[in-house]
Amino acid sequence: MVGGALAVVGTVTLGAVLLPGKARERAAEPPAPLTWTVASDLWKNGCGHTYLVERTPPPPPEAAAARSWAAARGAVDGGETLVRVSVQGKGAAAVVLQALHVRVVERGAPLPWAAYRMDDGCGGAVTPRRFAVDLDRPRPVARALDGYDASGQEGRTLPAVSFPYKVSAAEPEELLIHAGAAKCDCRWYLELEWSSEGRRGTVRIGDEDGAPFRTSGAKGRPVYVYDSAGRRWITSTNSGQGD
């Protein structure tokens, strides 16, 4: 699903037409030469995630059903939000992705709700093109991190690769953002700078519905995990996992 409305700045302005009795009107600027899709309800390695929920929820869903499960209960990402953005150009011309910024549009105290873990821990491979964001900072930045390839018999580190990147219709790029918060309930967007064929601009990226992402600190909250045998939520201390 193509995410959010886009805000294009600094692009070439087309001519305006002056009609009799009409004020001069500025023609619409052309759209950005790229498109993107967003997946914002990801679980770490496909199995690990924490939600803050106001009331005791039903059993945890499969990862693929996480978005509808969380929306139905007003659940908020606890401590960390993982976002995958797949970007590609609309045509053959290369589009250079110049920088990725984070804009916090609302900041409040962390939610006082209990934390519910969707698993008791899991492992897996990490992909390249990943970025860490500390939402507690006054001006959060997206910092490139090393990746890790666990597909072979021996894992190997994938060195961090910073901007710029190039994309086209035939050469997409995938960005994985790990946004963490401990001291705030933050609503935030990503802003991606681009340039192509003499034009420059910025697109604002929100969740699948175009709304800001939301992450709340979970430190000090009661933590529960699901006991499949007993079919109930139990404290993480009772599960042997601890906080």
Side-chain angles (χ1 to χ4, degrees):
M1 176 178 202
V2 175
L6 52 83
V8 182
V9 297
T11 52
V12 176
T13 303
L14 299 180
V17 178
L18 186 63
L19 299 177
K22 297 287 185 179
R24 183 178 295 272
E25 296 181 357
R26 193 175 178 182
E29 295 177 338
L34 55 84
T35 186
W36 69 92
T37 59
V38 175
S40 63
D41 284 277
L42 301 181
W43 292 0
K44 184 177 290 184
N45 300 324
C47 55
H49 196 67
T50 297
Y51 288 108
L52 296 177
V53 189
E54 189 172 14
R55 297 180 179 83
T56 303
E62 296 293 330
R67 182 171 177 78
S68 58
W69 185 94
R73 282 145 199 97
V76 174
D77 292 336
E80 183 179 51
T81 297
L82 273 63
V83 178
R84 183 175 62 238
V85 182
S86 300
V87 188
Q88 67 181 109
K90 292 180 178 177
V95 180
V96 179
L97 308 181
Q98 298 285 1
L100 181 68
H101 304 289
V102 180
R103 183 176 297 276
V104 176
V105 294
E106 187 175 335
R107 187 187 299 271
L111 294 169
W113 302 345
Y116 293 85
R117 290 179 177 169
M118 300 294 104
D119 76 305
D120 283 338
C122 58
V126 175
T127 58
R129 300 290 197 267
R130 67 189 188 110
F131 301 84
V133 177
D134 183 357
L135 296 172
D136 292 325
R137 298 176 64 89
R139 297 174 63 89
V141 296
R143 181 170 54 90
L145 298 178
D146 288 343
Y148 188 77
D149 182 4
S151 59
Q153 291 184 348
E154 294 185 3
R156 63 189 182 94
T157 298
L158 301 170
V161 181
S162 299
F163 285 91
Y165 305 138
K166 286 186 179 181
V167 299
S168 67
E171 297 181 346
E173 185 63 79
E174 187 171 277
L175 312 175
L176 183 63
I177 296 91
H178 297 244
K183 302 176 182 178
C184 74
D185 173 13
C186 287
R187 298 175 190 262
W188 52 281
Y189 288 100
L190 296 168
E191 294 183 340
L192 184 61
E193 291 185 27
W194 59 268
S195 63
S196 180
E197 298 185 307
R199 298 173 56 207
R200 301 182 66 89
T202 302
V203 294
R204 171 173 283 193
I205 300 173
D207 68 12
E208 290 87 338
D209 299 319
F213 307 109
R214 186 178 182 185
T215 314
S216 176
K219 186 176 181 179
R221 303 294 183 259
V223 179
Y224 294 88
V225 296
Y226 193 71
D227 177 10
S228 299
R231 297 184 179 181
R232 63 191 179 98
W233 291 97
I234 60 175
T235 63
S236 60
T237 300
N238 292 340
S239 74
Q241 296 297 317
D243 292 339

